[in-house]
Coordinates of all heavy atoms in Angstrom, one line a residue:
G5 N 173.1 168.9 7.4 CA 173.0 167.4 7.4 C 174.3 166.7 7.5 O 174.4 165.5 7.3
E6 N 175.4 167.4 7.9 CA 176.7 166.8 7.9 C 177.3 166.8 9.3 O 177.1 167.8 10.1 CB 177.7 167.7 7.0 CG 179.1 167.2 6.8 CD 179.8 168.0 5.9 OE1 179.9 169.3 6.0 OE2 180.4 167.5 4.9
S7 N 177.9 165.8 9.8 CA 178.6 165.7 11.1 C 179.9 166.5 11.0 O 180.4 166.7 9.9 CB 178.8 164.3 11.5 OG 179.9 163.7 10.8
L8 N 180.5 166.8 12.1 CA 181.8 167.5 12.1 C 182.9 166.7 11.5 O 183.7 167.1 10.7 CB 182.1 167.9 13.6 CG 181.2 168.9 14.3 CD1 181.6 169.1 15.7 CD2 181.2 170.2 13.5
E9 N 182.9 165.4 11.8 CA 183.9 164.5 11.3 C 183.8 164.3 9.8 O 184.8 164.3 9.1 CB 183.8 163.1 12.0 CG 184.2 163.2 13.5 CD 183.1 163.7 14.4 OE1 182.0 163.9 13.9 OE2 183.3 163.8 15.6
E10 N 182.5 164.2 9.3 CA 182.3 164.1 7.9 C 182.8 165.4 7.2 O 183.4 165.4 6.1 CB 180.8 163.9 7.6 CG 180.3 162.5 8.0 CD 178.8 162.4 7.9 OE1 178.1 163.5 8.0 OE2 178.3 161.3 7.8
C11 N 182.6 166.5 7.8 CA 183.0 167.8 7.3 C 184.5 167.9 7.2 O 185.1 168.3 6.2 CB 182.5 169.0 8.1 SG 183.0 170.6 7.5
V12 N 185.2 167.4 8.2 CA 186.7 167.4 8.2 C 187.2 166.6 7.0 O 188.0 167.1 6.2 CB 187.2 166.8 9.5 CG1 188.7 166.6 9.4 CG2 186.9 167.7 10.7
R13 N 186.7 165.4 6.8 CA 187.1 164.6 5.7 C 186.8 165.2 4.3 O 187.6 165.1 3.4 CB 186.6 163.2 5.8 CG 187.1 162.4 7.1 CD 186.5 161.0 7.1 NE 187.1 160.3 8.3 CZ 186.6 160.2 9.5 NH1 185.4 160.9 9.7 NH2 187.1 159.5 10.5
R14 N 185.6 165.7 4.2 CA 185.2 166.3 2.9 C 186.0 167.5 2.6 O 186.5 167.7 1.4 CB 183.7 166.7 3.0 CG 183.2 167.4 1.7 CD 181.8 167.9 1.8 NE 181.6 168.8 3.0 CZ 181.9 170.1 3.0 NH1 182.6 170.6 2.0 NH2 181.7 170.8 4.1
E15 N 186.2 168.4 3.5 CA 187.0 169.6 3.3 C 188.4 169.3 2.8 O 189.0 169.9 1.9 CB 187.0 170.6 4.5 CG 185.7 171.3 4.7 CD 185.5 172.4 3.6 OE1 186.5 172.8 3.0 OE2 184.3 172.9 3.5
V16 N 189.0 168.3 3.5 CA 190.4 167.9 3.2 C 190.4 167.3 1.8 O 191.3 167.7 1.0 CB 190.9 167.0 4.2 CG1 192.3 166.4 3.8 CG2 191.1 167.6 5.6
R17 N 189.5 166.5 1.5 CA 189.4 165.8 0.2 C 189.2 166.9 -0.9 O 189.8 166.8 -2.0 CB 188.3 164.8 0.2 CG 188.2 163.9 -1.1 CD 187.1 163.0 -1.0 NE 187.1 162.2 0.2 CZ 186.1 162.3 1.1 NH1 185.1 163.1 1.0 NH2 186.2 161.5 2.2
E18 N 188.3 167.9 -0.7 CA 188.0 168.9 -1.7 C 189.2 169.8 -1.9 O 189.5 170.2 -3.0 CB 186.8 169.7 -1.3 CG 185.5 168.9 -1.4 CD 184.3 169.7 -0.9 OE1 184.5 170.9 -0.4 OE2 183.1 169.2 -1.1
E19 N 189.8 170.2 -0.8 CA 190.8 171.3 -0.9 C 192.2 170.8 -1.4 O 192.9 171.5 -2.1 CB 190.9 172.0 0.4 CG 189.7 172.8 0.7 CD 189.8 173.8 1.9 OE1 190.9 173.7 2.5 OE2 188.9 174.6 2.2
V20 N 192.6 169.6 -0.9 CA 193.9 169.1 -1.3 C 193.9 167.7 -1.8 O 195.0 167.1 -2.1 CB 194.9 169.2 -0.1 CG1 195.1 170.7 0.3 CG2 194.3 168.4 1.1
G21 N 192.8 167.0 -1.9 CA 192.7 165.7 -2.6 C 193.2 164.5 -1.8 O 193.3 163.4 -2.4
I22 N 193.5 164.6 -0.6 CA 194.0 163.5 0.2 C 193.0 162.9 1.1 O 192.0 163.6 1.4 CB 195.3 163.8 1.0 CG1 195.0 164.8 2.1 CG2 196.4 164.3 0.0 CD1 196.2 165.1 3.0
E23 N 193.2 161.7 1.6 CA 192.4 161.0 2.6 C 193.1 161.0 3.9 O 194.3 161.0 4.0 CB 192.0 159.6 2.2 CG 191.3 159.5 0.9 CD 189.9 160.1 0.9 OE1 189.3 160.1 2.0 OE2 189.4 160.5 -0.2
I24 N 192.3 161.2 5.0 CA 192.9 161.2 6.4 C 192.3 160.2 7.3 O 191.3 159.5 6.9 CB 192.7 162.6 7.0 CG1 191.2 163.0 7.0 CG2 193.5 163.7 6.2 CD1 190.9 164.3 7.7
K25 N 192.9 159.9 8.4 CA 192.4 159.0 9.4 C 192.7 159.5 10.8 O 193.4 160.5 11.0 CB 193.1 157.6 9.2 CG 194.6 157.7 9.4 CD 195.2 156.3 9.1 CE 196.8 156.4 9.3 NZ 197.4 155.1 9.0
N26 N 192.1 158.8 11.8 CA 192.3 159.1 13.2 C 192.0 160.6 13.5 O 192.8 161.3 14.1 CB 193.7 158.8 13.7 CG 194.1 157.3 13.5 OD1 193.2 156.5 13.7 ND2 195.3 157.0 13.3
V27 N 190.8 161.0 13.1 CA 190.3 162.4 13.4 C 190.0 162.5 14.9 O 189.2 161.8 15.4 CB 189.1 162.7 12.5 CG1 188.6 164.1 12.8 CG2 189.5 162.6 11.0
E28 N 190.6 163.5 15.5 CA 190.3 163.7 17.0 C 190.1 165.1 17.3 O 190.7 166.0 16.7 CB 191.5 163.2 17.8 CG 191.8 161.7 17.7 CD 192.9 161.3 18.6 OE1 193.4 162.1 19.4 OE2 193.2 160.0 18.6
Y29 N 189.2 165.3 18.2 CA 188.8 166.7 18.6 C 190.0 167.4 19.3 O 190.6 166.8 20.2 CB 187.6 166.7 19.5 CG 187.2 168.0 20.1 CD1 186.5 169.0 19.3 CD2 187.4 168.3 21.4 CE1 186.2 170.2 19.8 CE2 187.0 169.5 22.0 CZ 186.4 170.5 21.1 OH 186.1 171.7 21.7
F30 N 190.2 168.7 19.1 CA 191.3 169.4 19.7 C 190.8 170.5 20.6 O 191.2 170.7 21.7 CB 192.1 170.0 18.6 CG 193.2 170.9 19.1 CD1 194.5 170.4 19.5 CD2 193.1 172.3 19.1 CE1 195.5 171.2 20.0 CE2 194.1 173.1 19.6 CZ 195.3 172.6 20.0
G31 N 189.8 171.3 20.1 CA 189.3 172.4 20.9 C 188.5 173.3 20.0 O 188.3 173.1 18.8
S32 N 187.9 174.4 20.6 CA 187.1 175.3 19.8 C 187.3 176.7 20.1 O 188.0 177.0 21.2 CB 185.6 175.0 20.0 OG 185.2 175.2 21.4
Q33 N 186.9 177.6 19.3 CA 187.1 179.0 19.5 C 186.0 179.8 18.8 O 185.7 179.7 17.6 CB 188.4 179.5 18.9 CG 188.7 181.0 19.0 CD 190.0 181.4 18.3 OE1 190.4 180.8 17.3 NE2 190.7 182.4 18.8
P34 N 185.3 180.7 19.5 CA 184.4 181.6 18.8 C 185.2 182.6 18.0 O 186.2 183.1 18.4 CB 183.7 182.4 20.0 CG 184.6 182.2 21.2 CD 185.3 180.9 21.0
W35 N 184.7 182.8 16.8 CA 185.5 183.6 15.8 C 184.5 184.6 15.1 O 183.8 184.2 14.2 CB 186.1 182.6 14.8 CG 187.2 183.2 13.9 CD1 187.1 183.3 12.5 CD2 188.4 183.8 14.3 NE1 188.2 183.9 12.0 CE2 189.1 184.2 13.1 CE3 189.0 184.0 15.5 CZ2 190.3 184.8 13.1 CZ3 190.3 184.6 15.5 CH2 190.9 185.0 14.3
P36 N 184.6 185.8 15.5 CA 183.6 186.8 15.1 C 183.8 187.4 13.7 O 183.7 188.7 13.5 CB 183.6 187.9 16.2 CG 185.1 187.9 16.6 CD 185.5 186.4 16.5
F37 N 184.3 186.7 12.7 CA 184.6 187.2 11.4 C 183.8 186.4 10.3 O 184.4 185.7 9.5 CB 186.1 187.2 11.2 CG 186.9 187.9 12.2 CD1 187.7 187.2 13.1 CD2 186.8 189.3 12.3 CE1 188.4 187.9 14.1 CE2 187.6 190.0 13.3 CZ 188.4 189.3 14.1
P38 N 182.5 186.6 10.2 CA 181.7 187.5 11.0 C 181.0 186.8 12.2 O 180.7 187.4 13.2 CB 180.7 188.0 10.0 CG 180.4 186.9 9.1 CD 181.8 186.1 9.0
N39 N 180.7 185.5 12.1 CA 179.9 184.9 13.2 C 180.2 183.4 13.2 O 179.3 182.6 13.3 CB 178.4 185.1 13.0 CG 178.0 184.9 11.5 OD1 178.5 184.0 10.8 ND2 177.2 185.8 11.0
S40 N 181.4 183.0 13.2 CA 181.8 181.6 13.2 C 182.1 181.0 14.5 O 182.4 181.7 15.5 CB 183.0 181.3 12.3 OG 182.8 181.8 11.0
L41 N 181.9 179.7 14.6 CA 182.5 178.9 15.7 C 183.4 177.9 15.1 O 183.0 177.0 14.4 CB 181.3 178.1 16.5 CG 181.8 177.2 17.6 CD1 182.5 177.9 18.7 CD2 180.7 176.4 18.1
M42 N 184.7 178.1 15.4 CA 185.8 177.2 14.9 C 185.9 176.0 15.8 O 186.2 176.1 17.0 CB 187.1 178.0 14.7 CG 187.0 179.3 13.9 SD 186.5 179.0 12.2 CE 187.8 178.0 11.6
I43 N 185.8 174.8 15.2 CA 185.9 173.6 15.9 C 187.2 172.8 15.4 O 187.2 172.4 14.2 CB 184.7 172.7 15.7 CG1 183.4 173.5 16.2 CG2 184.7 171.4 16.5 CD1 182.2 173.3 15.3

């Protein structure tokens, strides 16, 4: 139920406690450890 941009902001807030802005897409990579798609 979460968008990618919402996930970016939530993960940053949870892991290091800061707020961010100007979130922009960079690229993606399939990551088979074990079955991820890194965005």
Side-chain angles (χ1 to χ4, degrees):
E6 184 176 51
S7 73
L8 296 174
E9 292 80 5
E10 288 169 341
C11 180
V12 171
R13 294 184 175 89
R14 175 185 56 78
E15 283 290 341
V16 172
R17 189 182 306 115
E18 288 178 354
E19 293 190 354
V20 293
I22 65 172
E23 300 294 333
I24 56 175
K25 61 183 180 181
N26 298 331
V27 177
E28 295 186 2
Y29 176 74
F30 176 84
S32 64
Q33 179 185 31
W35 192 242
F37 303 110
N39 44 39
S40 301
L41 174 64
M42 304 301 298
I43 304 142

